[in-house]
Amino acid sequence: MPPSVNIPIEALTSRFNLSGRFENVRSTSLATRFANLRPISEFFDFKRLSKPQNFGEAQSRVNYNLGYFSSNYAAVFVMLSIYSLLTNLTLLFVIFLVVGGMWGIGKLGGQDLDIMGFRATTSQLYTGLLCVAIPLTFISSPFTTLLWLIGASGVTIIGHASFMDKPIESAFSEEAV
């Protein structure tokens, strides 16, 4: 039996304090999240773009900007998600097929579907939906789309957060502490 490899996930995530950051996202409602959008002029302020001097400064910028622009980053993620679905029409079709099929079967209220002498129980309808949706799902390559979405979001968001300098006011408030 080959030796097992244990990856210390906690050591990787504790460096960026990701667990606390995701807890805040879960406890905030969607309306509140998008109510805090920063203006586009502030999000794309090219005067504040600069290369960080070292990893410590980059980490400090990322920590600050992930909190400050969190609503903008959520909007970027949503836009990239919509783009990924619009460029993978097969996956979009499968999603609509499954949601529509489940909604339609649910509207039957547990009764059998009877169309011109053809009778199907809800169990048969769910099985038929499953038999059609699973092969179509594999054809639509959802894992590739998901990995692209994770990569594109990570590069875009972490790239912006690390190159966008903190405002002057935050530098003075850090020195006071």
Side-chain angles (χ1 to χ4, degrees):
M1 177 173 223
S4 64
V5 176
N6 293 326
I7 299 173
I9 300 296
E10 180 61 33
L12 298 173
T13 58
S14 65
R15 181 87 173 157
F16 292 107
N17 190 19
L18 294 178
S19 59
R21 197 169 304 287
F22 289 135
E23 187 61 39
N24 184 22
V25 170
R26 277 186 232 132
S27 64
T28 308
S29 72
L30 195 60
T32 307
R33 163 98 17 227
F34 287 109
N36 296 331
L37 276 172
R38 303 289 178 192
I40 290 259
S41 60
E42 187 176 353
F43 189 67
F44 290 119
D45 187 5
F46 294 116
K47 294 174 188 165
R48 288 182 34 210
L49 284 179
S50 66
K51 180 182 167 203
Q53 297 296 322
N54 52 32
F55 182 73
E57 183 182 353
Q59 184 178 4
S60 173
R61 287 181 183 189
V62 168
N63 283 335
Y64 177 81
N65 287 328
L66 283 179
Y68 189 74
F69 290 116
S70 63
S71 298
N72 295 69
Y73 293 145
V76 166
F77 180 78
V78 167
M79 288 188 286
L80 287 172
S81 300
I82 291 169
Y83 174 77
S84 68
L85 284 176
L86 290 177
T87 56
N88 189 349
L89 293 177
T90 311
L91 181 60
L92 187 62
F93 172 75
V94 169
I95 291 170
F96 281 140
L97 176 75
V98 169
V99 170
M102 304 259 306
W103 177 79
I105 295 170
K107 289 296 272 183
L108 290 174
Q111 298 177 356
D112 294 345
L113 178 66
D114 191 14
I115 299 176
M116 294 189 290
F118 173 75
R119 178 169 234 141
T121 65
T122 55
S123 172
Q124 291 170 333
L125 292 172
Y126 279 121
T127 304
L129 182 63
L130 189 71
C131 288
V132 170
I134 287 179
L136 284 176
T137 301
F138 283 117
I139 291 170
S140 68
S141 66
F143 299 115
T144 304
T145 304
L146 182 66
L147 289 175
W148 178 88
L149 180 61
I150 291 169
S153 300
V155 167
T156 305
I157 292 169
I158 300 299
H160 179 273
S162 62
F163 284 105
M164 181 64 71
D165 201 6
K166 294 191 243 180
I168 298 293
E169 305 85 46
S170 72
F172 289 123
S173 65
E174 287 178 0
E175 288 179 8
V177 173

mmCIF file of all heavy atoms in Angstrom, residues 1-9 12:
data_model
loop_
_atom_site.group_PDB
_atom_site.id
_atom_site.type_symbol
_atom_site.label_atom_id
_atom_site.label_comp_id
_atom_site.label_asym_id
_atom_site.label_seq_id
_atom_site.Cartn_x
_atom_site.Cartn_y
_atom_site.Cartn_z
ATOM 1 N N MET A 1 0.858 -1.181 0.000
ATOM 2 C CA MET A 1 0.000 0.000 0.000
ATOM 3 C C MET A 1 0.896 1.232 0.000
ATOM 4 O O MET A 1 1.748 1.387 0.864
ATOM 5 C CB MET A 1 -0.894 -0.047 1.234
ATOM 6 C CG MET A 1 -1.780 1.142 1.382
ATOM 7 S SD MET A 1 -2.904 0.881 2.734
ATOM 8 C CE MET A 1 -4.362 1.488 2.007
ATOM 9 N N PRO A 2 0.685 2.164 -0.966
ATOM 10 C CA PRO A 2 1.523 3.359 -1.022
ATOM 11 C C PRO A 2 1.226 4.280 0.158
ATOM 12 O O PRO A 2 0.120 4.293 0.688
ATOM 13 C CB PRO A 2 1.135 4.014 -2.346
ATOM 14 C CG PRO A 2 -0.206 3.479 -2.676
ATOM 15 C CD PRO A 2 -0.291 2.119 -2.041
ATOM 16 N N PRO A 3 2.213 5.055 0.585
ATOM 17 C CA PRO A 3 1.978 5.972 1.711
ATOM 18 C C PRO A 3 0.989 7.066 1.309
ATOM 19 O O PRO A 3 0.962 7.531 0.175
ATOM 20 C CB PRO A 3 3.364 6.557 1.993
ATOM 21 C CG PRO A 3 4.121 6.388 0.725
ATOM 22 C CD PRO A 3 3.567 5.158 0.059
ATOM 23 N N SER A 4 0.149 7.433 2.258
ATOM 24 C CA SER A 4 -0.842 8.473 1.982
ATOM 25 C C SER A 4 -0.201 9.852 2.132
ATOM 26 O O SER A 4 0.719 10.055 2.930
ATOM 27 C CB SER A 4 -2.036 8.353 2.921
ATOM 28 O OG SER A 4 -1.619 8.575 4.241
ATOM 29 N N VAL A 5 -0.699 10.779 1.371
ATOM 30 C CA VAL A 5 -0.197 12.144 1.403
ATOM 31 C C VAL A 5 -1.268 13.015 2.052
ATOM 32 O O VAL A 5 -2.411 13.054 1.588
ATOM 33 C CB VAL A 5 0.108 12.660 -0.022
ATOM 34 C CG1 VAL A 5 0.538 14.109 0.032
ATOM 35 C CG2 VAL A 5 1.158 11.800 -0.678
ATOM 36 N N ASN A 6 -0.922 13.670 3.122
ATOM 37 C CA ASN A 6 -1.847 14.561 3.811
ATOM 38 C C ASN A 6 -1.464 16.004 3.512
ATOM 39 O O ASN A 6 -0.349 16.429 3.820
ATOM 40 C CB ASN A 6 -1.811 14.326 5.324
ATOM 41 C CG ASN A 6 -2.354 12.969 5.692
ATOM 42 O OD1 ASN A 6 -3.264 12.481 5.035
ATOM 43 N ND2 ASN A 6 -1.802 12.371 6.725
ATOM 44 N N ILE A 7 -2.388 16.732 2.922
ATOM 45 C CA ILE A 7 -2.153 18.140 2.618
ATOM 46 C C ILE A 7 -2.747 18.966 3.748
ATOM 47 O O ILE A 7 -3.941 18.861 4.030
ATOM 48 C CB ILE A 7 -2.797 18.527 1.270
ATOM 49 C CG1 ILE A 7 -2.176 17.691 0.155
ATOM 50 C CG2 ILE A 7 -2.627 20.009 1.001
ATOM 51 C CD1 ILE A 7 -2.847 17.863 -1.183
ATOM 52 N N PRO A 8 -1.947 19.770 4.405
ATOM 53 C CA PRO A 8 -2.470 20.577 5.526
ATOM 54 C C PRO A 8 -3.259 21.779 5.003
ATOM 55 O O PRO A 8 -2.723 22.870 4.833
ATOM 56 C CB PRO A 8 -1.205 21.002 6.268
ATOM 57 C CG PRO A 8 -0.152 21.018 5.205
ATOM 58 C CD PRO A 8 -0.523 19.942 4.223
ATOM 59 N N ILE A 9 -4.529 21.554 4.740
ATOM 60 C CA ILE A 9 -5.384 22.613 4.209
ATOM 61 C C ILE A 9 -5.452 23.791 5.176
ATOM 62 O O ILE A 9 -5.442 24.946 4.764
ATOM 63 C CB ILE A 9 -6.807 22.077 3.908
ATOM 64 C CG1 ILE A 9 -6.758 20.954 2.873
ATOM 65 C CG2 ILE A 9 -7.730 23.189 3.458
ATOM 66 C CD1 ILE A 9 -6.270 21.388 1.514
ATOM 67 N N LEU A 12 -2.688 26.170 4.723
ATOM 68 C CA LEU A 12 -2.799 26.985 3.519
ATOM 69 C C LEU A 12 -3.850 28.074 3.660
ATOM 70 O O LEU A 12 -3.657 29.201 3.231
ATOM 71 C CB LEU A 12 -3.131 26.101 2.313
ATOM 72 C CG LEU A 12 -2.091 25.033 1.949
ATOM 73 C CD1 LEU A 12 -2.638 24.127 0.859
ATOM 74 C CD2 LEU A 12 -0.805 25.690 1.507
#
